[in-house]
Amino acid sequence: MEKIDIAVKCQQVVKTYRTGDHVVMALNKSDFVVNTGELVILAGPSGCGKTTLISVVAGILDYDGGDCTVFGRNLAKLTEPERLLFRSKYIGFVFQQYNLIPTLTVAENVGVPLIINGVSVKEATAKAIDVLDQVGLSDRAHYAPNQLSGGQQQRVAIARAIVHDPHLIVCDEPTSALDGINGRNIMMILKKLTIQNNRTLIVVTHDNRIFDFADRIAEMEDGHVKHSGNS
């Protein structure tokens, strides 16, 4: 992919949900720009649209109006196979609920993005164990997810999101289940990836202990980004 200065550009994005006769405006003409190489924290009260916005950015959710491009590509205009391919190559997503596959080992869970991209099982497992070592879990590589604590499962989810060296990493509350030391350790790993590899990182969080890792903090309220200043 050619170098692009703006990683994410959302303009006047609208996303609604319908429950019976009731329409919820999750994103209300939201503007959001993230430069390549930035670590941006997206903060704001529960229900303000943070997770919806990053799900749109990652191509997981469609939207109803406006425009959103990632590295110059409008994911909404891609076919579903094209969108899946783009996400598998360029985006890593850390879900708040981990979304680990219970029938796979920890290493197998982490290696899934590599296997999707055509890497052999042997090579994927070796790379997965290397990344697990970065998050302090190489000794749990052959455990099942249900043998880990919530905080350990969170770290596995982060390892899975970074194993394929994505250009954009999107995290939904990545430190919520971690104590202060492990939370900062995870953020140091993510920050290092951002700086060394010119990656772009968007972190949704309520955890003000990690605000100092951000290059910039964007604040959301009522479905739109109301402020996007320096950290």
Side-chain angles (χ1 to χ4, degrees):
M1 175 181 289
E2 64 179 287
K3 185 181 183 300
I4 297 176
D5 291 334
I6 295 178
V8 174
K9 187 174 185 179
C10 295
Q11 297 176 291
Q12 299 288 289
V13 173
V14 174
K15 175 65 180 177
T16 59
Y17 296 101
R18 182 177 292 276
T19 305
D21 294 330
H22 185 58
V23 176
V24 176
M25 182 75 74
L27 296 178
N28 185 8
K29 296 183 178 179
S30 188
D31 295 326
F32 185 49
V33 176
V34 182
N35 296 318
T36 299
E38 268 196 308
L39 194 167
V40 175
I41 281 181
L42 190 59
S46 296
C48 70
K50 301 186 301 296
T51 296
T52 298
L53 180 57
I54 62 170
S55 296
V56 165
V57 167
I60 295 171
L61 278 180
D62 290 324
Y63 49 94
D64 304 317
D67 190 60
C68 186
T69 60
V70 180
F71 301 116
R73 302 291 298 276
N74 188 328
L75 302 192
K77 294 182 179 179
L78 300 180
T79 65
E80 190 58 29
E82 288 172 336
R83 194 188 309 187
L84 288 172
L85 181 62
F86 186 91
R87 287 208 311 260
S88 70
K89 287 183 177 294
Y90 300 117
I91 300 175
F93 199 110
V94 181
F95 297 91
Q96 187 173 5
Q97 301 302 321
Y98 319 137
N99 287 3
L100 301 179
I101 301 170
T103 55
L104 300 182
T105 67
V106 165
E108 288 168 342
N109 267 281
V110 173
V112 165
L114 296 174
I115 292 171
I116 290 173
N117 285 326
V119 176
S120 70
V121 172
K122 181 178 179 180
E123 186 178 347
T125 301
K127 179 68 181 294
I129 292 173
D130 179 62
V131 175
L132 283 166
D133 187 55
Q134 294 181 48
V135 297
L137 286 176
S138 58
D139 60 338
R140 299 292 193 272
H142 303 296
Y143 282 46
N146 64 9
Q147 294 178 290
L148 304 182
S149 68
Q152 289 171 329
Q153 290 184 51
Q154 186 94 320
R155 284 186 276 161
V156 173
I158 291 167
R160 181 183 58 192
I162 66 177
V163 72
H164 58 302
D165 297 322
H167 289 66
L168 171 65
I169 304 167
V170 183
C171 305
D172 194 0
E173 300 283 1
T175 63
S176 61
L178 304 178
D179 59 33
I181 293 175
N182 281 318
R184 292 189 68 83
N185 285 341
I186 286 297
M187 289 305 300
M188 281 190 283
I189 291 169
L190 293 171
K191 182 77 170 181
K192 182 178 178 181
L193 281 170
T194 305
I195 294 171
Q196 287 188 342
N197 302 308
N198 202 34
R199 304 294 188 231
T200 304
L201 181 62
I202 303 171
V203 177
V204 164
T205 189
H206 289 93
D207 187 356
N208 59 14
R209 299 173 301 177
I210 66 170
F211 279 8
D212 58 323
F213 284 95
D215 296 314
R216 183 162 52 88
I217 297 174
E219 297 179 27
M220 285 198 75
E221 185 175 316
D222 298 331
H224 65 273
V225 178
K226 65 171 186 174
H227 171 71
S228 188
N230 294 328
S231 61

